[in-house]
């Protein structure tokens, strides 16, 4: 039996699920100005994916990288969701 597909599928599911709360917290605390951090980490993930020899690690690094890139879009979508009142907006502390 080959479990590679199941392992990669589960890891993909978990990685993508992990980014949902990260985007929410990032937008809440930093706003959309942190988009470049997702881009930089994604670029590092792409480079790492190209450099590792293990195919499964390369695939997972690629999924991680493109989850970072997708999070840039989600960050701006999250801003719109906050404006609609679907998520709390950070207020200035005294």
């Amino acid at each position: 039996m080959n479990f590679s597909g199941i392992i990669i599928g589960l890891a993909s599911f978990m990685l993508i699920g992990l980014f949902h709360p990260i985007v929410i917290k990032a937008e809440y605390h930093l706003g959309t100005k942190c988009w470049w951090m997702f881009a930089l980490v994604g670029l590092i993930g792409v480079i790492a994916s190209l450099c590792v020899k293990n195919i499964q690690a390369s695939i997972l690094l690629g999924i991680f990288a493109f989850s970072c890139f997708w999070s840039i879009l989600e960050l701006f979508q999250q801003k719109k969701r906050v404006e609609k009142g679907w998520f709390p907006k950070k207020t200035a502390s005294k």
Side-chain angles (χ1 to χ4, degrees):
M1 291 184 152
N2 186 350
F3 290 98
S4 294
I6 300 298
I7 293 168
I8 290 171
L10 179 61
S12 300
F13 180 74
M14 292 175 73
L15 274 171
I16 293 166
L18 176 69
F19 275 89
H20 180 69
I22 290 172
V23 167
I24 292 170
K25 295 290 184 184
E27 194 283 328
Y28 182 81
H29 292 289
L30 304 171
T32 56
K33 64 185 174 190
C34 66
W35 71 267
W36 64 269
M37 292 181 211
F38 287 104
L40 179 63
V41 173
L43 183 60
I44 291 167
V46 166
I47 293 167
S49 177
L50 292 170
C51 293
V52 298
K53 292 185 181 187
N54 182 295
I55 188 71
Q56 290 153 336
S58 177
I59 291 167
L60 292 174
L61 284 165
I63 293 167
F64 173 79
F66 282 88
S67 294
C68 288
F69 296 144
W70 186 259
S71 293
I72 297 169
L73 173 67
E74 283 299 313
L75 191 63
F76 289 93
Q77 294 293 332
Q78 179 64 18
K79 179 181 177 185
K80 291 178 184 177
R81 292 188 284 266
V82 169
E83 290 169 354
K84 291 179 181 178
W86 297 355
F87 286 85
K89 184 175 189 173
K90 186 173 184 179
T91 57
S93 59
K94 295 180 181 182

